[in-house]
């Protein structure tokens, strides 16, 4: 991998969709991935089911210079404690972006304000697992805070791996209509609802898409990327609106397969440089 990105003239990779979780929560999440269920379908094998230190070292060896520890709350009372953990993890882990999450609950404005004051650079919400509506009244102030701060939120807003929660382009699209300055990164390119999420990215100045699991053999089997969107993918990437994401460590293949899948698109070195470094650097500076 270092040879791959160095040939592109890059100093490494910026991956904006990486997960590290508190140990007890991580064990439960990995159990769901391994055994499947209503939020996972059949589930899948986790390629990097390793101790945390080994995972951090592997990212470093591969040249992933910047990454978050994206955690997400799925019920009230979780987010604030998760944010304490992710901030501490970032402080002790070189290259890790300070990240945070939120949930529609009393006090959410307060702990999001604290997170921003503590230097959080990126937020994560999972509308499928969390099962909440991004248009919830409790979140209107939060979206406003993030829009004002210019801090991105990685939002799982599509029906991958299975439908559930308030997914689809309409709920988050309504949030964007209320808060047009909001910086949102749509996870997984919005698969399998590619078209409406590409439309959101084209229409909203600060909406981006991440490549997480897209174009891989695993995803192409059930949620193939439509060839008609290749010109839009090229244009959005060169316009700063597509960023690298991987879902490391909870992927069923080696990390390099994500990069191979991007290269096989044959969209050019300038597009790869933009997606794998430049666009991510611009959004987190």
């Amino acid at each position: 991998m270092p040879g791959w990105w160095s040939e592109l003239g890059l100093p490494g990779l910026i991956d904006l969709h990486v997960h590290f979780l508190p140990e007890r929560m991580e064990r439960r999440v990995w159990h769901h991935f391994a055994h499947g269920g209503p939020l996972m379908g059949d589930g899948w094998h986790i390629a990097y089911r390793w101790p945390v230190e080994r995972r951090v070292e592997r990212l470093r060896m591969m040249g992933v210079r910047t990454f978050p520890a994206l955690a997400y709350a799925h019920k009230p009372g979780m987010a604030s404690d998760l944010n304490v953990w992710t901030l501490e993890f970032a402080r002790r882990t070189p290259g890790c972006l300070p990240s945070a999450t939120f949930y529609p609950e009393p006090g959410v404005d307060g702990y999001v304000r604290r997170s921003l004051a503590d230097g959080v650079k990126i937020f994560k919400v999972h509308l499928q697992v969390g099962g909440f509506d991004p248009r919830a009244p409790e979140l209107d102030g939060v979206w406003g805070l993030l829009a004002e701060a210019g801090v991105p939120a990685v939002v799982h807003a599509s029906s991958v791996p299975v439908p559930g929660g308030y997914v689809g382009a309409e709920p988050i699209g309504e949030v964007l209509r209320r808060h047009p300055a909001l910086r949102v990164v749509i996870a997984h390119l919005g698969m399998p609802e590619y078209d409406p999420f590409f439309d959101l990215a084209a229409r909203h100045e600060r909406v981006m898409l991440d490549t997480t699991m897209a174009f891989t053999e695993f995803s192409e089997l059930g949620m193939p990327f439509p060839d008609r969107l290749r010109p839009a993918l090229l244009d959005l990437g060169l316009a700063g609106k597509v960023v690298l994401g991987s879902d490391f460590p909870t992927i069923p293949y080696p990390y390099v397969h994500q990069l191979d899948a991007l290269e096989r698109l044959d969209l050019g070195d300038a597009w790869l440089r933009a997606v794998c470094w430049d666009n991510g650097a611009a959004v987190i500076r």
Side-chain angles (χ1 to χ4, degrees), residues 170-241:
E170 180 54 33
I172 193 65
E174 188 171 326
V175 171
L176 289 161
R177 287 192 290 274
R178 296 178 191 172
H179 302 280
L182 184 62
R183 195 180 294 280
V184 166
V185 180
I186 300 294
H188 303 279
L189 286 185
M191 71 168 73
E193 297 102 334
Y194 294 104
D195 289 272
F197 283 109
F198 267 60
D199 185 58
L200 278 184
R203 288 191 290 111
H204 293 275
E205 180 184 358
R206 288 181 148 191
V207 173
M208 309 173 79
L209 307 163
D210 82 30
T211 66
T212 303
M213 299 187 79
F215 320 112
T216 64
E217 292 175 3
F218 181 84
S219 296
E220 287 292 294
L221 285 174
M223 294 168 283
F225 181 75
D227 194 61
R228 67 180 176 277
L229 288 179
R230 286 172 60 87
L233 179 66
L234 174 62
D235 291 344
L236 289 171
L238 294 177
K241 296 170 78 67

Side-chain angles (χ1 to χ4, degrees), residues 25 39 71-83 100-113 115 123-143 146 153 165-166:
M25 182 179 181
L39 296 177
Y72 44 89
H74 65 270
K75 61 182 180 181
M78 288 184 67
S80 186
D81 288 343
L82 280 174
N83 294 347
T101 187
F102 52 86
Y103 192 87
E105 59 187 331
V108 60
D109 284 25
Y111 66 70
V112 168
R113 286 183 187 275
S115 295
F123 284 78
K124 166 70 173 181
V125 292
H126 202 308
L127 302 181
Q128 181 213 39
V129 172
F132 64 85
D133 192 332
R135 301 164 294 190
E138 300 95 326
L139 295 182
D140 197 56
V142 169
W143 297 123
L146 299 190
Y166 291 85

Side-chain angles (χ1 to χ4, degrees), residues 14 66 97 120-121 149-152 183 278-285:
I14 295 175
T66 305
L97 284 171
V120 162
K121 297 292 187 183
V151 173
R183 195 180 294 280
D278 297 341
N279 298 348
V283 78
I284 58 173
R285 61 186 176 192

Side-chain angles (χ1 to χ4, degrees), residues 48-132:
Y48 296 96
R49 192 166 180 163
W50 298 349
V52 61
E53 295 83 4
R54 186 179 175 193
R55 281 178 275 143
V56 170
E57 181 58 26
R58 178 52 60 95
L59 288 172
R60 187 171 294 116
M61 288 173 59
M62 293 187 299
V64 180
R65 304 298 185 208
T66 305
F67 59 93
L70 298 181
Y72 44 89
H74 65 270
K75 61 182 180 181
M78 288 184 67
S80 186
D81 288 343
L82 280 174
N83 294 347
V84 171
W85 188 92
T86 51
L87 277 169
E88 176 53 33
F89 183 85
R91 290 187 183 109
R92 68 175 188 267
T93 306
C96 186
L97 284 171
S99 63
T101 187
F102 52 86
Y103 192 87
E105 59 187 331
V108 60
D109 284 25
Y111 66 70
V112 168
R113 286 183 187 275
R114 286 195 299 275
S115 295
L116 290 169
D118 287 338
V120 162
K121 297 292 187 183
I122 193 166
F123 284 78
K124 166 70 173 181
V125 292
H126 202 308
L127 302 181
Q128 181 213 39
V129 172
F132 64 85

